[in-house]
Amino acid sequence: MIRIIRWIVLPLSFIYLFVVWFRNLLYDWGILKSRSFDIPTIVVGNLAVGGTGKSPMTEYLIQLLSKDYKVATLSRGYGRKTKGFREVSMDSTAMEVGDEPLQFKRKFPHVTVAVSEDRCAGVEKLKEQHDIVILDDAYQHRRLKPGFSILLLDYASFHKPILPLPTGDFRDNFSAVKRADVVVVTKCPSNLTAKEKQTITHKIRRYTAAPLLYTQIGYSTPLNVQQQPLAADLNNLDIVLFCGIAKPQPLISYLEQKNNRIHPLIFPDHHPFSKQDYKRIRLTYEELSCENKIILTTEKDIQRIQLESFKDLPLFYIPIHLLVMDFSQKTLDTLIRDCVSRPHNRPSSF
């Protein structure tokens, strides 16, 4: 039914596409102003809504750069109930700062993590005390002109019509890939064929000659809330999997490939879990008659849940990371380091 409704509102998609195209044109012509800064600013973004792997890419950049530079990350803080600029602390809550920024802070305590709807205002507050600002999900924030843009395109999006919202999933015209300094196709299958790559590459090369890389999502050993790894191998288990992420299917497929029996409880992206949800999760777990069973969620979801609701249950979360395919990791690292090391101009408007 939802799919039918989305096709019915196709005319709205063309109106949306025109508005986005016209807005981008005003920025391209300089009628609407963009601001640049005198420190490296790296934007990680996408064209479609949700689930392209922005968080793993942001974490990849933090790991690559934070050893040599004082790094700050800046996000909108999607799902938070607060407004304005806010620095994330270890005892912040997802309701205050959003789940992904909280994940960054807890994973990298030495890095400054901040949230602000106004990215320019956020960079202005961070620039004096930091060498680099990484902006998560800011590709459409045209008021800021980044020093380097990393555009992520989900592999699965190339297997369905590339249509704008609300009929499709794209929030920007596909031709916006021309603004990227590097294009990364994410969440690729391990058996990606040369023919598939050729087809995807052809679509992208119509708009840009920027470096093009292909990546996968890697899954690490599940951890409990005390950061202790799962003692048993992650196979032949009954797993109550609950998550509120945009695209849970890759995780489900990964777990099924390891001969696990999955009992999924899928919620909307950034879902605020309620007492009823916790009861449902507990009941699903208790109804399993087997002994080798666990409750599993994602690293993003663990930031939003009340751990007290699981204090007597085997709750684990599974971290993910970025895997660059085709021996291209050195290429990506070099592109990023070159951007950071080159001289930056004084701030200006365009």
Side-chain angles (χ1 to χ4, degrees):
M1 178 59 72
I2 294 177
R3 186 174 298 179
I4 294 174
I5 293 174
R6 293 184 76 174
W7 278 105
I8 291 174
V9 297
L10 181 60
L12 295 179
S13 293
F14 291 112
I15 296 173
Y16 174 88
L17 185 63
F18 174 79
V19 171
V20 171
W21 170 81
F22 188 65
R23 174 179 177 270
N24 282 330
L25 196 64
L26 294 177
Y27 275 106
D28 292 342
W29 285 352
I31 298 172
L32 294 179
K33 304 299 182 182
S34 297
R35 182 182 176 188
S36 60
F37 291 85
D38 58 350
I39 66 168
T41 51
I42 303 176
V43 158
V44 177
N46 58 5
L47 299 183
V49 291
T52 55
K54 294 186 298 295
S55 292
M57 176 58 78
T58 300
E59 292 181 358
Y60 183 92
L61 295 175
I62 293 172
Q63 290 175 318
L64 176 67
L65 298 171
S66 61
K67 296 175 185 176
D68 303 314
Y69 301 94
K70 190 168 184 181
V71 174
T73 73
L74 181 64
S75 306
R76 173 188 169 190
Y78 187 86
R80 66 182 174 125
K81 301 302 181 183
T82 58
K83 298 291 184 181
F85 179 87
R86 194 180 186 99
E87 192 167 323
V88 183
S89 64
M90 292 293 288
D91 57 356
S92 295
T93 67
M95 297 294 283
E96 294 171 335
V97 299
D99 49 16
E100 289 162 340
L102 187 57
Q103 176 181 318
F104 298 152
K105 185 62 181 179
R106 290 176 173 174
K107 203 164 186 177
F108 306 100
H110 62 291
V111 169
T112 299
V113 178
V115 294
S116 177
E117 303 94 326
D118 187 333
R119 304 304 205 282
C120 289
V123 174
E124 185 66 37
K125 289 181 178 293
L126 294 168
K127 66 176 186 175
E128 297 301 328
Q129 302 298 322
H130 299 87
D131 302 317
I132 302 165
V133 179
I134 301 170
L135 296 109
D136 176 45
D137 196 14
Y139 197 77
Q140 282 76 35
H141 201 84
R142 296 293 306 272
R143 284 186 57 227
L144 182 142
K145 182 177 177 61
F148 194 79
S149 290
I150 302 174
L151 177 64
L152 310 182
L153 298 170
D154 179 19
Y155 162 83
S157 68
F158 289 95
H159 291 77
K160 51 188 176 182
I162 297 176
L163 293 170
L165 294 167
T167 298
D169 294 328
F170 278 72
R171 54 181 175 176
D172 208 337
N173 194 314
F174 192 79
S175 64
V177 298
K178 67 185 179 183
R179 300 200 308 269
D181 293 289
V182 61
V183 180
V184 181
V185 181
T186 63
K187 298 187 176 182
C188 296
S190 56
N191 60 348
L192 180 66
T193 66
K195 185 177 180 180
E196 285 181 300
K197 287 181 62 175
Q198 184 179 17
T199 300
I200 293 172
T201 299
H202 177 71
K203 291 181 180 180
I204 294 171
R205 286 287 175 252
R206 292 173 59 194
Y207 301 101
T208 181
L212 174 59
L213 306 175
Y214 291 82
T215 65
Q216 298 173 269
I217 290 295
Y219 295 94
S220 303
T221 302
L223 304 172
N224 63 18
V225 294
Q226 288 80 35
Q227 306 297 302
Q228 298 169 331
L230 178 67
D233 292 333
L234 188 60
N235 54 54
N236 291 311
L237 298 174
D238 276 80
I239 299 175
V240 177
L241 174 67
F242 75 94
C243 57
I245 58 176
K247 297 176 182 176
Q249 191 53 51
L251 174 56
I252 294 173
S253 298
Y254 168 77
L255 296 172
E256 289 178 338
Q257 288 168 9
K258 299 177 78 66
N259 297 316
N260 296 295
R261 294 163 295 281
I262 312 304
H263 309 271
L265 298 172
I266 307 302
F267 300 89
D269 196 16
H270 299 282
H271 177 71
F273 294 103
S274 65
K275 291 182 179 179
Q276 281 301 119
D277 296 330
Y278 298 136
K279 288 180 182 179
R280 182 183 170 197
I281 295 164
R282 176 181 287 273
L283 182 60
T284 303
Y285 175 80
E286 291 176 345
E287 286 180 343
L288 296 177
S289 58
C290 55
E291 293 185 1
N292 295 326
K293 57 182 181 178
I294 63 169
I295 299 175
L296 184 67
T297 190
T298 70
E299 193 170 15
K300 185 172 82 169
D301 288 303
I302 201 76
Q303 315 301 327
R304 298 196 308 277
I305 68 172
Q306 296 177 1
L307 297 179
E308 282 295 311
S309 301
F310 297 90
K311 61 182 179 180
D312 58 338
L313 296 173
L315 173 66
F316 292 84
Y317 69 91
I318 186 163
I320 61 175
H321 55 274
L322 190 75
L323 295 174
V324 184
M325 304 174 71
D326 301 331
F327 307 101
S328 298
Q329 181 173 337
K330 186 175 180 180
T331 300
L332 179 59
D333 292 357
T334 300
L335 287 168
I336 295 165
R337 289 189 179 279
D338 285 350
C339 158
V340 170
S341 62
R342 68 174 178 246
H344 283 74
N345 296 323
R346 300 301 300 171
S348 59
S349 295
F350 293 83

PDB file of all heavy atoms in Angstrom, residues 105-131:
ATOM      1  N   LYS A 105      31.096   9.999  20.232  1.00  0.00           N
ATOM      2  CA  LYS A 105      31.758  10.447  21.459  1.00  0.00           C
ATOM      3  C   LYS A 105      32.149   9.271  22.337  1.00  0.00           C
ATOM      4  O   LYS A 105      33.262   9.232  22.903  1.00  0.00           O
ATOM      5  CB  LYS A 105      30.846  11.400  22.226  1.00  0.00           C
ATOM      6  CG  LYS A 105      31.505  12.005  23.468  1.00  0.00           C
ATOM      7  CD  LYS A 105      32.725  12.841  23.089  1.00  0.00           C
ATOM      8  CE  LYS A 105      33.422  13.425  24.302  1.00  0.00           C
ATOM      9  NZ  LYS A 105      34.616  14.216  23.927  1.00  0.00           N
ATOM     10  N   ARG A 106      31.274   8.310  22.489  1.00  0.00           N
ATOM     11  CA  ARG A 106      31.569   7.167  23.349  1.00  0.00           C
ATOM     12  C   ARG A 106      32.642   6.272  22.745  1.00  0.00           C
ATOM     13  O   ARG A 106      33.388   5.614  23.469  1.00  0.00           O
ATOM     14  CB  ARG A 106      30.285   6.365  23.604  1.00  0.00           C
ATOM     15  CG  ARG A 106      29.299   7.110  24.510  1.00  0.00           C
ATOM     16  CD  ARG A 106      27.999   6.367  24.681  1.00  0.00           C
ATOM     17  NE  ARG A 106      27.145   7.025  25.680  1.00  0.00           N
ATOM     18  CZ  ARG A 106      25.891   6.652  25.940  1.00  0.00           C
ATOM     19  NH1 ARG A 106      25.333   5.643  25.265  1.00  0.00           N
ATOM     20  NH2 ARG A 106      25.188   7.303  26.858  1.00  0.00           N
ATOM     21  N   LYS A 107      32.731   6.271  21.429  1.00  0.00           N
ATOM     22  CA  LYS A 107      33.734   5.450  20.763  1.00  0.00           C
ATOM     23  C   LYS A 107      35.088   6.143  20.702  1.00  0.00           C
ATOM     24  O   LYS A 107      36.135   5.490  20.741  1.00  0.00           O
ATOM     25  CB  LYS A 107      33.250   5.118  19.345  1.00  0.00           C
ATOM     26  CG  LYS A 107      33.863   3.870  18.734  1.00  0.00           C
ATOM     27  CD  LYS A 107      33.050   3.427  17.542  1.00  0.00           C
ATOM     28  CE  LYS A 107      33.545   2.115  16.983  1.00  0.00           C
ATOM     29  NZ  LYS A 107      32.694   1.654  15.868  1.00  0.00           N
ATOM     30  N   PHE A 108      35.056   7.476  20.614  1.00  0.00           N
ATOM     31  CA  PHE A 108      36.297   8.261  20.525  1.00  0.00           C
ATOM     32  C   PHE A 108      36.237   9.394  21.558  1.00  0.00           C
ATOM     33  O   PHE A 108      36.019  10.557  21.199  1.00  0.00           O
ATOM     34  CB  PHE A 108      36.469   8.837  19.115  1.00  0.00           C
ATOM     35  CG  PHE A 108      36.397   7.812  18.016  1.00  0.00           C
ATOM     36  CD1 PHE A 108      35.231   7.646  17.284  1.00  0.00           C
ATOM     37  CD2 PHE A 108      37.486   7.002  17.730  1.00  0.00           C
ATOM     38  CE1 PHE A 108      35.152   6.699  16.268  1.00  0.00           C
ATOM     39  CE2 PHE A 108      37.423   6.055  16.719  1.00  0.00           C
ATOM     40  CZ  PHE A 108      36.256   5.891  15.986  1.00  0.00           C
ATOM     41  N   PRO A 109      36.431   9.087  22.833  1.00  0.00           N
ATOM     42  CA  PRO A 109      36.275  10.100  23.892  1.00  0.00           C
ATOM     43  C   PRO A 109      37.217  11.288  23.739  1.00  0.00           C
ATOM     44  O   PRO A 109      36.907  12.385  24.222  1.00  0.00           O
ATOM     45  CB  PRO A 109      36.585   9.310  25.170  1.00  0.00           C
ATOM     46  CG  PRO A 109      36.389   7.878  24.814  1.00  0.00           C
ATOM     47  CD  PRO A 109      36.762   7.756  23.377  1.00  0.00           C
ATOM     48  N   HIS A 110      38.361  11.087  23.075  1.00  0.00           N
ATOM     49  CA  HIS A 110      39.350  12.161  22.944  1.00  0.00           C
ATOM     50  C   HIS A 110      38.984  13.171  21.859  1.00  0.00           C
ATOM     51  O   HIS A 110      39.632  14.221  21.745  1.00  0.00           O
ATOM     52  CB  HIS A 110      40.718  11.557  22.618  1.00  0.00           C
ATOM     53  CG  HIS A 110      40.759  10.800  21.317  1.00  0.00           C
ATOM     54  ND1 HIS A 110      40.101   9.593  21.131  1.00  0.00           N
ATOM     55  CD2 HIS A 110      41.363  11.087  20.133  1.00  0.00           C
ATOM     56  CE1 HIS A 110      40.312   9.171  19.897  1.00  0.00           C
ATOM     57  NE2 HIS A 110      41.063  10.054  19.267  1.00  0.00           N
ATOM     58  N   VAL A 111      37.967  12.881  21.068  1.00  0.00           N
ATOM     59  CA  VAL A 111      37.578  13.746  19.954  1.00  0.00           C
ATOM     60  C   VAL A 111      36.400  14.624  20.369  1.00  0.00           C
ATOM     61  O   VAL A 111      35.481  14.157  21.041  1.00  0.00           O
ATOM     62  CB  VAL A 111      37.215  12.894  18.718  1.00  0.00           C
ATOM     63  CG1 VAL A 111      36.548  13.734  17.635  1.00  0.00           C
ATOM     64  CG2 VAL A 111      38.456  12.214  18.164  1.00  0.00           C
ATOM     65  N   THR A 112      36.433  15.880  19.952  1.00  0.00           N
ATOM     66  CA  THR A 112      35.298  16.765  20.203  1.00  0.00           C
ATOM     67  C   THR A 112      34.159  16.407  19.254  1.00  0.00           C
ATOM     68  O   THR A 112      34.352  16.317  18.040  1.00  0.00           O
ATOM     69  CB  THR A 112      35.694  18.238  19.984  1.00  0.00           C
ATOM     70  OG1 THR A 112      36.735  18.579  20.896  1.00  0.00           O
ATOM     71  CG2 THR A 112      34.509  19.161  20.215  1.00  0.00           C
ATOM     72  N   VAL A 113      32.984  16.205  19.814  1.00  0.00           N
ATOM     73  CA  VAL A 113      31.788  15.920  19.026  1.00  0.00           C
ATOM     74  C   VAL A 113      30.752  16.984  19.374  1.00  0.00           C
ATOM     75  O   VAL A 113      30.498  17.252  20.552  1.00  0.00           O
ATOM     76  CB  VAL A 113      31.228  14.514  19.332  1.00  0.00           C
ATOM     77  CG1 VAL A 113      29.950  14.262  18.527  1.00  0.00           C
ATOM     78  CG2 VAL A 113      32.273  13.443  19.024  1.00  0.00           C
ATOM     79  N   ALA A 114      30.187  17.607  18.353  1.00  0.00           N
ATOM     80  CA  ALA A 114      29.216  18.673  18.580  1.00  0.00           C
ATOM     81  C   ALA A 114      28.047  18.521  17.622  1.00  0.00           C
ATOM     82  O   ALA A 114      28.150  17.850  16.586  1.00  0.00           O
ATOM     83  CB  ALA A 114      29.869  20.047  18.410  1.00  0.00           C
ATOM     84  N   VAL A 115      26.929  19.160  17.967  1.00  0.00           N
ATOM     85  CA  VAL A 115      25.748  19.156  17.106  1.00  0.00           C
ATOM     86  C   VAL A 115      25.284  20.594  16.918  1.00  0.00           C
ATOM     87  O   VAL A 115      25.408  21.432  17.816  1.00  0.00           O
ATOM     88  CB  VAL A 115      24.602  18.301  17.685  1.00  0.00           C
ATOM     89  CG1 VAL A 115      24.992  16.834  17.710  1.00  0.00           C
ATOM     90  CG2 VAL A 115      24.216  18.761  19.093  1.00  0.00           C
ATOM     91  N   SER A 116      24.775  20.876  15.728  1.00  0.00           N
ATOM     92  CA  SER A 116      24.235  22.196  15.423  1.00  0.00           C
ATOM     93  C   SER A 116      23.461  22.109  14.117  1.00  0.00           C
ATOM     94  O   SER A 116      23.959  21.541  13.139  1.00  0.00           O
ATOM     95  CB  SER A 116      25.354  23.238  15.307  1.00  0.00           C
ATOM     96  OG  SER A 116      24.839  24.503  14.954  1.00  0.00           O
ATOM     97  N   GLU A 117      22.262  22.652  14.084  1.00  0.00           N
ATOM     98  CA  GLU A 117      21.510  22.685  12.835  1.00  0.00           C
ATOM     99  C   GLU A 117      22.206  23.593  11.819  1.00  0.00           C
ATOM    100  O   GLU A 117      22.184  23.315  10.619  1.00  0.00           O
ATOM    101  CB  GLU A 117      20.091  23.220  13.063  1.00  0.00           C
ATOM    102  CG  GLU A 117      19.270  22.448  14.077  1.00  0.00           C
ATOM    103  CD  GLU A 117      19.375  23.054  15.472  1.00  0.00           C
ATOM    104  OE1 GLU A 117      20.463  23.584  15.805  1.00  0.00           O
ATOM    105  OE2 GLU A 117      18.391  22.998  16.217  1.00  0.00           O
ATOM    106  N   ASP A 118      22.793  24.658  12.316  1.00  0.00           N
ATOM    107  CA  ASP A 118      23.504  25.619  11.469  1.00  0.00           C
ATOM    108  C   ASP A 118      24.974  25.214  11.423  1.00  0.00           C
ATOM    109  O   ASP A 118      25.732  25.466  12.352  1.00  0.00           O
ATOM    110  CB  ASP A 118      23.348  27.029  12.041  1.00  0.00           C
ATOM    111  CG  ASP A 118      23.929  28.100  11.122  1.00  0.00           C
ATOM    112  OD1 ASP A 118      24.860  27.793  10.355  1.00  0.00           O
ATOM    113  OD2 ASP A 118      23.455  29.248  11.184  1.00  0.00           O
ATOM    114  N   ARG A 119      25.375  24.581  10.310  1.00  0.00           N
ATOM    115  CA  ARG A 119      26.737  24.060  10.245  1.00  0.00           C
ATOM    116  C   ARG A 119      27.777  25.174  10.262  1.00  0.00           C
ATOM    117  O   ARG A 119      28.844  25.035  10.852  1.00  0.00           O
ATOM    118  CB  ARG A 119      26.926  23.201   8.992  1.00  0.00           C
ATOM    119  CG  ARG A 119      25.957  22.044   8.825  1.00  0.00           C
ATOM    120  CD  ARG A 119      25.935  21.086  10.002  1.00  0.00           C
ATOM    121  NE  ARG A 119      25.480  19.774   9.585  1.00  0.00           N
ATOM    122  CZ  ARG A 119      24.208  19.442   9.361  1.00  0.00           C
ATOM    123  NH1 ARG A 119      23.264  20.340   9.511  1.00  0.00           N
ATOM    124  NH2 ARG A 119      23.879  18.218   8.979  1.00  0.00           N
ATOM    125  N   CYS A 120      27.478  26.306   9.607  1.00  0.00           N
ATOM    126  CA  CYS A 120      28.435  27.416   9.608  1.00  0.00           C
ATOM    127  C   CYS A 120      28.650  27.942  11.023  1.00  0.00           C
ATOM    128  O   CYS A 120      29.790  28.194  11.436  1.00  0.00           O
ATOM    129  CB  CYS A 120      27.947  28.541   8.695  1.00  0.00           C
ATOM    130  SG  CYS A 120      28.027  28.144   6.929  1.00  0.00           S
ATOM    131  N   ALA A 121      27.573  28.092  11.776  1.00  0.00           N
ATOM    132  CA  ALA A 121      27.697  28.557  13.157  1.00  0.00           C
ATOM    133  C   ALA A 121      28.473  27.544  13.990  1.00  0.00           C
ATOM    134  O   ALA A 121      29.277  27.915  14.857  1.00  0.00           O
ATOM    135  CB  ALA A 121      26.311  28.793  13.752  1.00  0.00           C
ATOM    136  N   GLY A 122      28.255  26.250  13.710  1.00  0.00           N
ATOM    137  CA  GLY A 122      28.970  25.216  14.443  1.00  0.00           C
ATOM    138  C   GLY A 122      30.458  25.234  14.164  1.00  0.00           C
ATOM    139  O   GLY A 122      31.284  25.144  15.090  1.00  0.00           O
ATOM    140  N   VAL A 123      30.834  25.351  12.887  1.00  0.00           N
ATOM    141  CA  VAL A 123      32.257  25.418  12.535  1.00  0.00           C
ATOM    142  C   VAL A 123      32.893  26.660  13.150  1.00  0.00           C
ATOM    143  O   VAL A 123      34.034  26.623  13.621  1.00  0.00           O
ATOM    144  CB  VAL A 123      32.441  25.393  11.003  1.00  0.00           C
ATOM    145  CG1 VAL A 123      33.910  25.601  10.643  1.00  0.00           C
ATOM    146  CG2 VAL A 123      31.942  24.077  10.414  1.00  0.00           C
ATOM    147  N   GLU A 124      32.174  27.763  13.138  1.00  0.00           N
ATOM    148  CA  GLU A 124      32.685  29.012  13.718  1.00  0.00           C
ATOM    149  C   GLU A 124      33.060  28.812  15.188  1.00  0.00           C
ATOM    150  O   GLU A 124      34.088  29.322  15.654  1.00  0.00           O
ATOM    151  CB  GLU A 124      31.627  30.116  13.593  1.00  0.00           C
ATOM    152  CG  GLU A 124      32.086  31.490  14.047  1.00  0.00           C
ATOM    153  CD  GLU A 124      33.184  32.061  13.179  1.00  0.00           C
ATOM    154  OE1 GLU A 124      33.147  31.850  11.949  1.00  0.00           O
ATOM    155  OE2 GLU A 124      34.081  32.715  13.745  1.00  0.00           O
ATOM    156  N   LYS A 125      32.266  28.054  15.930  1.00  0.00           N
ATOM    157  CA  LYS A 125      32.547  27.809  17.346  1.00  0.00           C
ATOM    158  C   LYS A 125      33.707  26.828  17.548  1.00  0.00           C
ATOM    159  O   LYS A 125      34.383  26.864  18.571  1.00  0.00           O
ATOM    160  CB  LYS A 125      31.290  27.273  18.033  1.00  0.00           C
ATOM    161  CG  LYS A 125      30.185  28.305  18.217  1.00  0.00           C
ATOM    162  CD  LYS A 125      28.992  27.695  18.918  1.00  0.00           C
ATOM    163  CE  LYS A 125      27.896  28.733  19.143  1.00  0.00           C
ATOM    164  NZ  LYS A 125      28.303  29.775  20.117  1.00  0.00           N
ATOM    165  N   LEU A 126      33.944  25.964  16.576  1.00  0.00           N
ATOM    166  CA  LEU A 126      34.936  24.900  16.737  1.00  0.00           C
ATOM    167  C   LEU A 126      36.306  25.246  16.155  1.00  0.00           C
ATOM    168  O   LEU A 126      37.318  24.673  16.559  1.00  0.00           O
ATOM    169  CB  LEU A 126      34.430  23.614  16.065  1.00  0.00           C
ATOM    170  CG  LEU A 126      33.189  22.961  16.684  1.00  0.00           C
ATOM    171  CD1 LEU A 126      32.641  21.887  15.739  1.00  0.00           C
ATOM    172  CD2 LEU A 126      33.512  22.344  18.037  1.00  0.00           C
ATOM    173  N   LYS A 127      36.349  26.162  15.208  1.00  0.00           N
ATOM    174  CA  LYS A 127      37.547  26.316  14.387  1.00  0.00           C
ATOM    175  C   LYS A 127      38.785  26.771  15.165  1.00  0.00           C
ATOM    176  O   LYS A 127      39.918  26.394  14.819  1.00  0.00           O
ATOM    177  CB  LYS A 127      37.284  27.274  13.228  1.00  0.00           C
ATOM    178  CG  LYS A 127      37.020  28.709  13.644  1.00  0.00           C
ATOM    179  CD  LYS A 127      36.877  29.607  12.416  1.00  0.00           C
ATOM    180  CE  LYS A 127      36.762  31.074  12.829  1.00  0.00           C
ATOM    181  NZ  LYS A 127      36.735  31.965  11.659  1.00  0.00           N
ATOM    182  N   GLU A 128      38.624  27.569  16.206  1.00  0.00           N
ATOM    183  CA  GLU A 128      39.786  28.111  16.902  1.00  0.00           C
ATOM    184  C   GLU A 128      40.544  27.050  17.693  1.00  0.00           C
ATOM    185  O   GLU A 128      41.753  27.163  17.889  1.00  0.00           O
ATOM    186  CB  GLU A 128      39.349  29.248  17.839  1.00  0.00           C
ATOM    187  CG  GLU A 128      38.741  30.449  17.130  1.00  0.00           C
ATOM    188  CD  GLU A 128      39.695  31.071  16.117  1.00  0.00           C
ATOM    189  OE1 GLU A 128      40.928  31.016  16.352  1.00  0.00           O
ATOM    190  OE2 GLU A 128      39.207  31.611  15.102  1.00  0.00           O
ATOM    191  N   GLN A 129      39.844  26.028  18.148  1.00  0.00           N
ATOM    192  CA  GLN A 129      40.455  25.022  19.021  1.00  0.00           C
ATOM    193  C   GLN A 129      40.736  23.703  18.307  1.00  0.00           C
ATOM    194  O   GLN A 129      41.134  22.730  18.953  1.00  0.00           O
ATOM    195  CB  GLN A 129      39.540  24.762  20.238  1.00  0.00           C
ATOM    196  CG  GLN A 129      39.243  26.008  21.064  1.00  0.00           C
ATOM    197  CD  GLN A 129      40.489  26.620  21.663  1.00  0.00           C
ATOM    198  OE1 GLN A 129      41.404  25.899  22.091  1.00  0.00           O
ATOM    199  NE2 GLN A 129      40.548  27.944  21.699  1.00  0.00           N
ATOM    200  N   HIS A 130      40.511  23.653  16.987  1.00  0.00           N
ATOM    201  CA  HIS A 130      40.661  22.381  16.270  1.00  0.00           C
ATOM    202  C   HIS A 130      41.383  22.591  14.945  1.00  0.00           C
ATOM    203  O   HIS A 130      41.403  23.695  14.398  1.00  0.00           O
ATOM    204  CB  HIS A 130      39.285  21.746  16.036  1.00  0.00           C
ATOM    205  CG  HIS A 130      38.554  21.425  17.307  1.00  0.00           C
ATOM    206  ND1 HIS A 130      37.754  22.339  17.947  1.00  0.00           N
ATOM    207  CD2 HIS A 130      38.553  20.290  18.069  1.00  0.00           C
ATOM    208  CE1 HIS A 130      37.268  21.787  19.050  1.00  0.00           C
ATOM    209  NE2 HIS A 130      37.743  20.569  19.148  1.00  0.00           N
ATOM    210  N   ASP A 131      41.965  21.506  14.443  1.00  0.00           N
ATOM    211  CA  ASP A 131      42.674  21.538  13.163  1.00  0.00           C
ATOM    212  C   ASP A 131      41.768  21.163  12.000  1.00  0.00           C
ATOM    213  O   ASP A 131      41.987  21.600  10.866  1.00  0.00           O
ATOM    214  CB  ASP A 131      43.866  20.566  13.195  1.00  0.00           C
ATOM    215  CG  ASP A 131      44.846  20.885  14.302  1.00  0.00           C
ATOM    216  OD1 ASP A 131      45.149  22.074  14.499  1.00  0.00           O
ATOM    217  OD2 ASP A 131      45.299  19.941  14.982  1.00  0.00           O
TER     218      ASP A 131
END
